[in-house]
Amino acid sequence: MTPYRILVIDDEPGIRSGVRQILELEGYAVAEAESGRTAFSLLEQTPFDVALIDYRLPDIDGLTLLQAIRKRRPGTMTCMITAYANLETAIAATRQGIDFFLPKPFAPDDLISVIETLLRHKKVREEAERLRRAHEESLAALATEQSQTRSLVACLHDAVLVVNRQGTVVLANRAMAALLGHEEPELLQRPLADVLLGPELAPVRALLDEGVAERAGFELYLGDRAYLVSLTPFRAPDGTVLGRILTLADMTALRRLSIEKARFVRTMVHEFRSPLGAVKGLLEVAQDKSLGDRLDPYLPMLARAEQRLDGLVELIGDLLSLSRIEAEQRDPVAPPPLDVAPLVEEVADLCRERATGRGITVDVEIASPLPPVRVAADDLRTVLVNLVANAVKYNREGGAVKVRLSPTAEWLRTDVTDTGLGILPENLPHLFDEFFREKRKETRDIEGNGLGLSIVKRLVERAGGRLEVSSVVGQGSTFSLLLPR
């Protein structure tokens, strides 16, 4: 069997090479194009099954290239891959006929899943075209056809509804039935006006009533979810519209990603600008010799500058850790069983030096025997260091930290309890957000960048565990780490 042909169009050699290696291991035939011109040449020579298109190319933008592919190779499935992922780009690409949208960076499993989805869609289109040729006058046969088409449409994640030229529903998949609050059989052979009810679906009804002759799309909100609506005419060889295919693609996650990305960038810029501005000001004072020619008056300022730069180095390290955790795939081979007790003792000893200077005790209580857990030792060490160090950092002078390990029926539980400042109830839901820090007079002078608990959360989830937090303001907090036995 001839392997499926994939064309990767991207000006970054690393992206092209990485995608090629991943897809060739899956048995696909992969070609590369570093520009729109090269892509045009390859498309003229070879009919590709899937084209992965970078949004920004050196000689042409991805949307213009997409239009050309739609005209020259309409049978090629297309996917936009870009680091500039936002809802506006997605809407523009969808209106011009893009079949999928994959933001960079993406994991190998995500890439393979997208390719498989696009190839399933391609099979649906080809089978639908075969049926159209066999049943030119009506799409009703599509509803009763016991073929691969029905199975493929039924399992698509997007909500799909097919109507004939009379406006009668002849096919609906599970996703569409669930969206409309019906079972699939209840939708068939019913007028469209009886199916698309409610004010929220009024724009969809209006688009269908217009009888548009070309593919059309727009953004639609149903409750708290965002969808991209696509309406595609279904034609006979003479150009007569036999019916229409309505698709609703859930874009809620992409919208949320766009919002979170913008928030993350704004916060990160602030986190870098503040210490760099402070260091720059201190250096200007030293350069201007505002405090005289003697070195001694400048030493405290230089120490503060070094402290701010140390904070920047720590911030960059945490950002790299977050990026690495997001990029790494969970190892399909589980790590070997790990005895947690020695690691907890090691972390406790590491944190005692700082704790002792403030009169804080760090005690470890281990229930015996403890079951081993399957988690990478480095990941668990990072989690424990963050939790215990925070318990010391946000504690009171002369306070106490207790680390208690105990088994349950399903978990190995590690509780890190402090007698410190506690956390305001309204802040508990945001503890694991990037850059989040409590803004209270008690925490004003405590250093940190708000990334530690974000790293902890990702590492724990990667290990299949979970985190629980309880806190009383002015009395202390308990962070509970639960890892599967």
Side-chain angles (χ1 to χ4, degrees):
M1 180 179 177
T2 304
Y4 289 108
R5 293 180 290 271
I6 314 296
L7 176 60
V8 185
I9 309 166
D10 198 299
D11 60 343
E12 297 184 44
I15 294 291
R16 298 197 306 272
S17 174
V19 170
R20 173 189 281 274
Q21 294 179 38
I22 293 167
L23 296 183
E24 286 183 343
L25 287 174
E26 296 297 317
Y28 298 110
V30 183
E32 299 179 25
E34 74 281 0
S35 65
R37 185 183 300 276
T38 305
F40 285 142
S41 177
L42 292 172
L43 286 163
E44 290 292 338
Q45 302 170 21
T46 306
F48 289 91
D49 297 292
V50 176
L52 302 175
I53 309 169
D54 187 16
Y55 181 68
R56 293 193 174 182
L57 295 169
D59 57 347
I60 191 174
D61 68 87
L63 294 180
T64 303
L65 179 58
L66 171 62
Q67 290 177 332
I69 294 175
R70 293 261 66 87
K71 292 180 180 179
R72 299 183 186 186
R73 293 291 186 183
T76 299
M77 305 299 293
T78 54
C79 174
M80 189 72 71
I81 55 172
T82 176
Y84 303 92
N86 57 58
L87 193 60
E88 290 72 21
T89 302
I91 291 174
T94 299
R95 286 175 174 169
Q96 296 191 28
I98 198 74
D99 297 300
F100 217 99
F101 197 90
L102 181 62
K104 295 178 184 176
F106 47 80
D109 286 349
D110 293 334
L111 173 64
I112 293 169
S113 176
V114 166
I115 295 297
E116 292 174 347
T117 299
L118 289 171
L119 291 174
R120 286 199 299 269
H121 279 252
K122 182 177 176 66
K123 290 181 182 178
V124 170
R125 289 184 181 179
E126 293 172 348
E127 180 69 5
E129 177 62 18
R130 184 189 70 80
L131 289 173
R132 184 192 63 77
R133 290 194 299 267
H135 308 282
E136 290 184 354
E137 293 303 319
S138 174
L139 290 178
L142 187 62
T144 56
E145 177 79 11
Q146 299 301 313
S147 65
Q148 187 181 19
T149 302
R150 190 170 185 83
S151 300
L152 288 169
V153 172
C155 69
L156 289 177
H157 178 72
D158 294 342
V160 179
L161 187 75
V162 182
V163 296
N164 61 18
R165 67 174 70 183
Q166 289 79 31
T168 301
V169 177
V170 295
L171 181 62
N173 67 352
R174 286 190 294 268
M176 180 62 79
L179 190 64
L180 298 176
H182 292 280
E183 296 294 331
E184 293 172 71
E186 295 176 0
L187 298 175
L188 301 180
Q189 304 305 318
R190 294 179 61 182
L192 194 62
D194 294 346
V195 172
L196 300 179
L197 302 175
E200 289 180 315
L201 293 173
V204 182
R205 294 195 300 271
L207 185 62
L208 285 161
D209 291 342
E210 289 175 9
V212 292
E214 301 297 333
R215 183 171 181 171
F218 61 92
E219 184 181 357
L220 176 73
Y221 289 89
L222 298 177
D224 60 350
R225 307 201 70 79
Y227 293 87
L228 280 179
V229 178
S230 175
L231 185 63
T232 306
F234 200 85
R235 299 179 180 278
D238 62 1
T240 305
V241 175
L242 300 176
R244 292 177 174 82
I245 301 174
L246 175 67
T247 305
L248 273 72
D250 192 337
M251 302 294 290
T252 309
L254 182 59
R255 169 171 277 278
R256 187 179 298 116
L257 174 65
S258 178
I259 295 172
E260 287 299 314
K261 180 180 178 181
R263 183 191 64 81
F264 183 87
V265 170
R266 287 195 304 270
T267 306
M268 189 170 64
V269 168
H270 172 75
E271 291 292 331
F272 274 91
R273 178 182 292 169
S274 178
L276 286 175
V279 171
K280 186 174 185 296
L282 293 172
L283 291 176
E284 288 175 350
V285 170
Q287 287 177 329
D288 294 341
K289 297 184 178 181
S290 302
L291 302 180
D293 293 329
R294 295 180 62 253
L295 178 62
D296 290 349
Y298 298 99
L299 292 179
M301 296 173 52
L302 294 174
R304 288 200 299 274
E306 183 180 22
Q307 187 178 24
R308 300 305 294 269
L309 290 175
D310 286 342
L312 271 180
V313 172
E314 181 183 356
L315 173 59
I316 292 170
D318 285 344
L319 286 170
L320 290 174
S321 295
L322 273 177
S323 177
R324 184 176 65 251
I325 294 168
E326 292 290 349
E328 288 175 351
Q329 290 300 297
R330 189 171 181 176
D331 193 338
V333 179
L338 177 68
D339 182 5
V340 176
L343 198 56
V344 171
E345 294 284 8
E346 173 191 328
V347 170
D349 289 340
L350 183 66
C351 295
R352 280 193 180 103
E353 181 177 351
R354 177 180 293 183
T356 302
R358 297 175 55 204
I360 299 172
T361 60
V362 179
D363 295 321
V364 177
E365 179 184 325
I366 300 177
S368 183
L370 290 179
V373 294
R374 289 194 181 274
V375 60
D378 288 343
D379 286 359
L380 183 56
R381 182 180 290 104
T382 299
V383 169
L384 291 172
V385 166
N386 270 281
L387 294 181
V388 178
N390 278 352
V392 173
K393 183 191 298 186
Y394 291 94
N395 218 316
R396 301 181 183 280
E397 301 291 329
V401 175
K402 174 174 283 188
V403 183
R404 185 176 186 274
L405 280 72
S406 59
T408 69
E410 299 180 10
W411 310 92
L412 173 58
R413 183 184 185 99
T414 304
D415 295 313
V416 180
T417 303
D418 64 65
T419 58
L421 305 177
I423 304 161
L424 295 173
E426 60 268 26
N427 288 332
L428 288 173
H430 306 291
L431 281 181
F432 301 101
D433 294 347
E434 291 91 347
F435 296 112
F436 177 79
R437 299 189 69 213
E438 275 203 305
K439 295 181 179 179
R440 305 158 46 186
K441 64 179 181 179
E442 296 90 348
T443 63
R444 185 180 305 152
D445 297 326
I446 299 178
E447 296 180 3
N449 55 44
L451 290 178
L453 289 180
S454 297
I455 294 173
V456 166
K457 182 175 184 289
R458 285 165 171 75
L459 291 176
V460 171
E461 289 177 346
R462 187 163 73 180
R466 73 170 192 259
L467 287 162
E468 296 176 353
V469 184
S470 61
S471 183
V472 178
V473 175
Q475 297 184 26
S477 305
T478 296
F479 285 76
S480 299
L481 165 64
L482 290 89
L483 296 172
R485 293 170 61 121

